[in-house]
Amino acid sequence: MAIEVRIPTILRTYTGGAKVVEGAGSTLGELIKNLDAAHAGIGDRLLDGEKLRRFVNVYKNDEDVRFLGGLETPVADGDTVTVLPAVAGGN
Amino acid sequence: MLRISLDLHDKIIAHARQDHPDEACGVIAGPLGSDRPQRFIPMENAARSPTFYEFDSKEQLRVWREMDDRDEEPVVIYHSHTMTEAYPSRTDISYANEPGAHYVLVSTREPDTTEFRSYRIEDGEVTEEAVEVA
């Protein structure tokens, strides 16, 4: 078993169109590093230096990782990680 | 071009008026690939601000999953400007991440009339489109 990662439409150019990919790692940070190794460039769309980008939402199962520990959030086989670009704007 | 029913058009305006002077925001879902907005989903503006809007992240996950389960997509993403015209701001453009969606903007700055306009926003480029209300 692996970690299931759900990819939003806007990032599917990095996954060859795949809506769901598999990943591995013991923390979210590791998972993203491994994802980037398999799908070059995706890491940069999720991270701003050493932090998650402000307007990208990442969820472990049903929880926003911002409330779980950010990139330090532990992940394990069987978890689902969902990436959704935040919908935001302003005048 | 955006084709939208009068009922949905009026619901967007009613939501924007109700939340004024804060920005209102939401989605209209439709069947995948249909380009037909059908299911009205007003969203909470987590920023509760007259100059900014942001979907609540938990609510967004729930709504996006529900759309996925129903084979729908966000056909329209709408929000209001309460002090400026109904044109995408620089912030709106930089956070626009749904190239397939019609970005509807309404302006509630005038008390008696509500501007209602629609745009495509792709790779930082804004294209206004006609709106047909029927």
Side-chain angles (χ1 to χ4, degrees), chain B:
Chain B
M1 177 169 74
L2 169 66
R3 280 200 181 83
I4 187 169
S5 71
L6 179 62
D7 176 54
L8 290 169
H9 168 275
D10 290 353
K11 277 182 171 153
I12 291 177
I13 291 176
H15 184 202
R17 284 284 163 203
Q18 181 193 314
D19 284 12
H20 184 91
D22 286 346
E23 293 195 5
C25 54
V27 172
I28 306 178
L32 271 175
S34 69
D35 206 31
R36 294 293 295 175
Q38 288 183 347
R39 194 162 64 88
F40 184 70
I41 312 169
M43 302 284 289
E44 186 185 328
N45 176 2
R48 291 181 192 281
S49 157
T51 56
F52 198 76
Y53 81 98
E54 182 175 9
F55 285 7
D56 174 76
S57 70
K58 250 195 123 146
E59 185 182 28
Q60 190 188 345
L61 177 66
R62 185 175 56 71
V63 167
W64 254 243
R65 272 208 189 135
E66 200 175 82
M67 283 192 283
D68 228 23
D69 291 345
R70 299 166 61 123
D71 292 320
E72 291 173 337
E73 61 189 345
V75 178
V76 166
I77 294 177
Y78 71 87
H79 78 281
S80 62
H81 284 175
T82 58
M83 293 178 291
T84 56
E85 70 168 323
Y87 191 85
S89 66
R90 258 192 298 175
T91 333
D92 293 335
I93 297 164
S94 59
Y95 301 140
N97 275 313
E98 293 283 356
H102 301 270
Y103 280 88
V104 165
L105 268 110
V106 299
S107 173
T108 54
R109 68 178 163 172
E110 303 290 345
D112 308 326
T113 56
T114 308
E115 240 189 310
F116 186 107
R117 294 162 75 179
S118 183
Y119 307 86
R120 294 287 190 172
I121 308 177
E122 203 171 347
D123 294 327
E125 206 158 304
V126 177
T127 314
E128 182 157 12
E129 60 182 1
V131 177
E132 186 184 285
V133 181

Side-chain angles (χ1 to χ4, degrees), chain A residues 52-67:
Chain A
L52 274 177
R53 286 191 179 277
R54 164 78 176 85
F55 289 105
V56 175
N57 297 329
V58 179
Y59 309 87
K60 180 175 102 166
N61 304 324
D62 287 336
E63 290 296 325
D64 187 329
V65 298
R66 279 194 186 87
F67 304 110

Side-chain angles (χ1 to χ4, degrees), chain A residues 7 9 12 35 38-39 61 65 74-75 87:
Chain A
I7 306 291
T9 319
R12 289 182 199 156
L35 275 182
H39 310 284
N61 304 324
V65 298
V75 291
V87 180

